[in-house]
Amino acid sequence: MDASSKKKRTRGKLSREMIENAAFEVIEREGLSGFSMRKLAAALGCEAMSIYHHFPSQAHLYEALVDRLIGRLKMPDPDLPWRERMRIAVLDYRRIGREHPAFATYFLSYRMNSPTCLAYINGIVGLFNDGGFNQEMAARLFRAIGYYLGGALLDETAGYAKGPSAVTTVSSEQLERDFPNIAAAGRFFSTAEFDKTFDLGLEMLLDEMERIRDGTRTANAKSDNLREK
Amino acid sequence: MDASSKKKRTRGKLSREMIENAAFEVIEREGLSGFSMRKLAAALGCEAMSIYHHFPSQAHLYEALVDRLIGRLKMPDPDLPWRERMRIAVLDYRRIGREHPAFATYFLSYRMNSPTCLAYINGIVGLFNDGGFNQEMAARLFRAIGYYLGGALLDETAGYAKGPSAVTTVSSEQLERDFPNIAAAGRFFSTAEFDKTFDLGLEMLLDEMERIRDGTRTANAKSDNLREK
DNA sequence: GCTTGACAACTTACACTGTAAGGTTCATTT
DNA sequence: AAATGAACCTTACAGTGTAAGTTGTCAAGC
């Protein structure tokens, strides 16, 4: 018989960390929708259900992945100028998203509630408080900058740089002819332009935040009340 | 036998429009991940495979849904002041996302390439051109505003307002004690505050765009070159 | 050395998914 | 009346997450 020669069961082989590492790899290789517990198991050289001994569900595993990414983020040095601290915090977050483009899709719509993530968010909100804003403005600016950051990451990781998702596509000749504005703008939409575009928007928001803090934002703010309804 | 009494086959019942309408309903009722061709068929009173006669795949169906949402958007009146045109365009897009919160998740990472969607994008890029920016700046600002808009929609439709996605959550007592900044900011994170927060960020970006156009953005822009690396 | 217990990993099974392939029904045209 | 072809249904397959039950392996106590 000697059935043991066929399957080399190395006991205690698996661990949470090993599984997490493999999960990151499989997700990036197969894409988030192509990821499955069975493929993860194959990468680990075990059966799918063995993973459930370490993570009670796929959701728990995903949560651990988010925690690991967020948990490694450090708050920027408080001795730096505030604007620089804010910039670093934003770019740090963007970096971990860019490092895991396939996982970012999940990451970005994940509503963080683990202690690790809450500690991070608490620190970032504190950074806005340090900027000299009152609680309301700190809260709203936190959200507004987060919108920009999240939207940029979504586009940079899942956007046009990955090619069209449409089933029916348009030839570049037709694009040039029928949609000239897009054709003209297209060259600034490439992956190589991501940093420059992101920085432009980020600096715009940083400028405005400093204007709000310094009370020098009187120019066009009046039009805020022009909204219908 | 009289098998016809059991199943009332009403021929020509289905149509692309009917299927699309039902799809929007089922998606919003079941959530995007809870949506399936079989559930859609059940809502339509037909079998799953009947849908494939009208849409060759689920992806084609989704694409049609995106096209329908985008296709109904009109460019703002060109006679309005430019800032107002831009504001309306942004809010229109946000509105259709908010009207289909469950579908928005798909919508936001969908890379539009259908003629309908390209026509829309072409119009919006043209709106930036009308603002008096050169091609490069128009392209980058289009993207930057899109980042803000997309991130906001993602958060408003899939974010914290839907409750935590984490499997392990933290009690409100612990939140108050360990994460005071979040607790303090929390009241401005509610659904009721969405409009006000969105408007703040939008007006910030509109302000900055006008500064860029008018060349009055000299204040802090110098720090743009402080980036490491 | 032997037994026991606990735990880690595996096996099986179920209800679900999208959709390929092919069969059936029926309104319309000839 | 016969034929056509669109519209719809049935069946089947390979994939999914995971509940439930089983087996293999190692360490401790006798």
Side-chain angles (χ1 to χ4, degrees), chain B residues 119-198:
Chain B
Y120 171 74
I121 295 174
N122 194 66
I124 298 294
V125 174
L127 182 45
F128 279 91
N129 291 335
D130 290 353
F133 306 101
N134 64 30
Q135 263 186 5
E136 174 174 350
M137 193 52 94
R140 294 199 198 281
L141 289 176
F142 165 78
R143 268 236 164 338
I145 308 302
Y147 291 168
Y148 177 74
L149 176 52
L153 262 178
L154 187 64
D155 189 82
E156 291 175 346
T157 56
Y160 281 91
K162 301 242 165 203
S165 23
V167 194
T168 63
T169 57
V170 161
S171 69
S172 55
E173 292 78 24
Q174 192 186 342
L175 191 88
E176 200 84 35
R177 175 164 37 83
D178 295 340
F179 312 108
N181 296 337
I182 300 178
R187 98 173 198 73
F188 302 104
F189 291 169
S190 73
T191 312
E193 300 290 334
F194 280 175
D195 283 356
K196 215 170 166 187
T197 298
F198 183 84

Side-chain angles (χ1 to χ4, degrees), chain A residues 152-222:
Chain A
L153 262 178
L154 187 65
D155 188 83
E156 291 175 344
T157 57
Y160 281 91
K162 301 243 163 201
S165 22
V167 194
T168 63
T169 57
V170 160
S171 70
S172 55
E173 292 78 23
Q174 192 186 342
L175 190 88
E176 201 84 35
R177 174 163 38 83
D178 295 340
F179 312 107
N181 297 338
I182 300 179
R187 99 173 198 73
F188 303 105
F189 291 169
S190 72
T191 312
E193 301 290 334
F194 281 175
D195 283 355
K196 214 170 167 187
T197 299
F198 183 83
D199 282 353
L200 171 65
L202 176 57
E203 298 302 328
M204 287 168 69
L205 289 168
L206 290 172
D207 279 0
E208 278 293 302
M209 285 198 286
E210 293 189 333
R211 285 184 212 279
I212 289 172
R213 186 196 53 195
D214 301 341
T216 58
R217 188 173 166 261
T218 48
N220 300 291
K222 54 173 162 37

Side-chain angles (χ1 to χ4, degrees), chain B residues 15-208:
Chain B
S15 70
R16 283 178 66 99
E17 193 182 354
M18 277 188 55
I19 295 172
E20 289 169 16
N21 288 339
F24 277 127
E25 280 172 28
V26 175
I27 287 171
E28 295 307 321
R29 189 177 66 225
E30 306 282 337
L32 190 63
S33 66
F35 175 82
S36 78
M37 300 303 267
R38 286 175 174 85
K39 285 181 190 167
L40 174 57
L44 286 162
C46 71
E47 295 301 316
M49 291 311 291
S50 306
I51 298 163
Y52 284 80
H53 188 78
H54 302 267
F55 295 95
S57 77
Q58 197 181 56
H60 283 81
L61 171 58
Y62 282 161
E63 180 174 320
L65 298 185
V66 174
D67 259 33
R68 225 177 71 167
L69 293 186
I70 294 295
R72 293 186 177 174
L73 290 175
K74 301 277 166 273
M75 287 301 134
D77 182 357
D79 293 334
L80 289 170
W82 184 82
R83 185 179 176 121
E84 185 65 10
R85 290 167 68 193
M86 182 57 66
R87 197 191 342 247
I88 289 172
V90 169
L91 291 174
D92 276 353
Y93 189 94
R94 176 169 175 256
R95 182 177 44 76
I96 64 166
R98 294 288 298 274
E99 284 173 358
H100 302 271
F103 188 60
T105 306
Y106 178 82
F107 187 65
L108 287 169
S109 60
Y110 176 80
R111 304 181 290 278
M112 309 175 180
N113 259 71
S114 69
T116 301
C117 292
L118 288 175
Y120 171 74
I121 295 174
N122 194 66
I124 298 294
V125 174
L127 182 45
F128 279 91
N129 291 335
D130 290 353
F133 306 101
N134 64 30
Q135 263 186 5
E136 174 174 350
M137 193 52 94
R140 294 199 198 281
L141 289 176
F142 165 78
R143 268 236 164 338
I145 308 302
Y147 291 168
Y148 177 74
L149 176 52
L153 262 178
L154 187 64
D155 189 82
E156 291 175 346
T157 56
Y160 281 91
K162 301 242 165 203
S165 23
V167 194
T168 63
T169 57
V170 161
S171 69
S172 55
E173 292 78 24
Q174 192 186 342
L175 191 88
E176 200 84 35
R177 175 164 37 83
D178 295 340
F179 312 108
N181 296 337
I182 300 178
R187 98 173 198 73
F188 302 104
F189 291 169
S190 73
T191 312
E193 300 290 334
F194 280 175
D195 283 356
K196 215 170 166 187
T197 298
F198 183 84
D199 282 353
L200 171 65
L202 176 57
E203 298 302 328
M204 286 168 69
L205 289 168
L206 290 172
D207 278 0
E208 278 293 302

Side-chain angles (χ1 to χ4, degrees), chain A residues 7 9 11 47 49-50 53-54:
Chain A
K7 43 191 67 182
R9 305 232 312 210
R11 207 104 292 235
E47 294 300 316
M49 292 311 290
S50 305
H53 189 79
H54 302 267

